[in-house]
């Protein structure tokens, strides 16, 4: 008898749970916005980011960085510093590209370009440390000048893109 009562109670509980679930899933059943829903009630049409794929890419980047850095361990002196700067720069570029891949935007595109410019600058600056005296100073000035030009180019490109987006221009004239 006791087992029958428990069976009936469980069946009733499952019936209520099923009814509550069905009511919750009906559109308009709740005034509260659902996760991913927009405030105006329309569906959120933003592309969904594949979190698992993004995490796998992040882990791949981290593993590549560790492998590149491990290659540097056998080196000594300035050669090791150049190698480590190169490994760190490649990691930063890969992370910026990953961000651009999963959330494309002009800002992320700019970050990719900036990461590449910084990578080139840091590697060039480390290479300059191998030289001495005036040669080192001249090398560092040249690296800094290239970096400043690259930053100015990025800024000019971004400003032009932002201006076109703000005005709706396609860049062609009649």
């Amino acid at each position: 008898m006791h087992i029958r009562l428990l069976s009936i109670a469980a069946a009733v509980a499952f019936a209520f749970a099923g009814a509550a679930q069905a009511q919750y899933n009906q559109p308009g059943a709740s005034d509260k916005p659902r996760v991913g829903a927009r405030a105006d009630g329309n569906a959120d049409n933003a592309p969904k980011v594949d979190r698992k794929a993004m995490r796998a890419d992040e882990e791949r980047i981290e593993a590549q960085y560790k492998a590149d850095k491990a290659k540097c361990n056998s080196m000594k002196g300035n050669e090791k510093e150049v190698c480590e700067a190169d490994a760190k720069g490649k990691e930063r570029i890969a992370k910026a590209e990953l961000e651009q891949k999963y959330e494309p935007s002009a800002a992320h595109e700019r970050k990719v370009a900036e990461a590449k410019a910084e990578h080139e600058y840091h590697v060039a600056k480390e290479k300059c440390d191998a030289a001495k005296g005036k040669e080192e100073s001249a090398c560092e000035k040249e690296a800094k000048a290239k970096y400043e030009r690259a930053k100015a180019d990025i800024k000019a490109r971004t400003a032009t893109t932002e201006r076109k987006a703000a005005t709706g221009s396609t860049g062609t004239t009649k």
Side-chain angles (χ1 to χ4, degrees):
M1 182 72 175
H2 187 52
I3 295 175
R4 282 189 111 180
L5 264 173
L6 285 174
S7 309
I8 292 170
V12 170
F14 283 125
F16 279 119
Q21 181 68 30
Q23 183 181 12
Y24 180 75
N25 287 338
Q26 289 177 350
S30 173
D31 292 338
K32 293 180 182 177
R34 293 180 314 278
V35 173
R38 292 180 11 176
D40 62 5
N42 293 329
D44 190 8
N45 294 330
K48 304 294 183 224
V49 174
D50 185 359
R51 299 284 178 204
K52 288 182 181 178
M54 186 173 175
R55 183 69 189 139
D57 285 344
E58 287 172 348
E59 289 173 1
R60 179 190 50 78
I61 291 168
E62 190 67 29
Q64 182 64 47
Y65 170 68
K66 287 179 181 178
D68 289 347
K69 193 156 166 92
K71 290 178 189 175
C72 302
N73 289 338
S74 63
M75 300 176 188
K76 294 192 188 294
N78 188 33
E79 184 181 13
K80 183 175 184 174
E81 291 174 7
V82 170
C83 181
E84 289 174 348
D86 186 46
K88 189 65 177 170
K90 285 179 181 178
E91 179 194 29
R92 286 183 180 151
I93 291 169
K95 284 182 178 181
E97 288 173 341
L98 180 69
E99 218 173 331
Q100 172 65 8
K101 176 182 176 184
Y102 286 101
E103 297 176 20
S105 70
H108 289 152
E109 189 175 326
R110 181 179 178 152
K111 285 182 182 179
V112 170
E114 287 173 347
K116 288 178 180 179
E118 287 175 11
H119 172 245
E120 289 177 16
Y121 172 64
H122 290 297
V123 171
K125 192 173 175 189
E126 286 298 333
K127 287 180 179 178
C128 291
D129 288 345
K132 297 291 178 213
K134 291 182 180 180
E135 290 177 11
E136 180 181 11
S137 178
C139 180
E140 287 179 354
K141 284 180 183 178
E142 184 179 340
K144 180 77 170 175
K146 283 183 182 179
Y147 176 60
E148 293 297 329
R149 278 194 304 269
K151 282 187 1 183
D153 289 345
I154 292 166
K155 187 175 182 179
R157 265 190 315 217
T158 311
T160 302
T161 304
E162 289 172 359
R163 234 180 291 122
K164 285 180 182 177
T167 62
S169 172
T170 59
T172 59
T173 57
K174 292 183 180 179

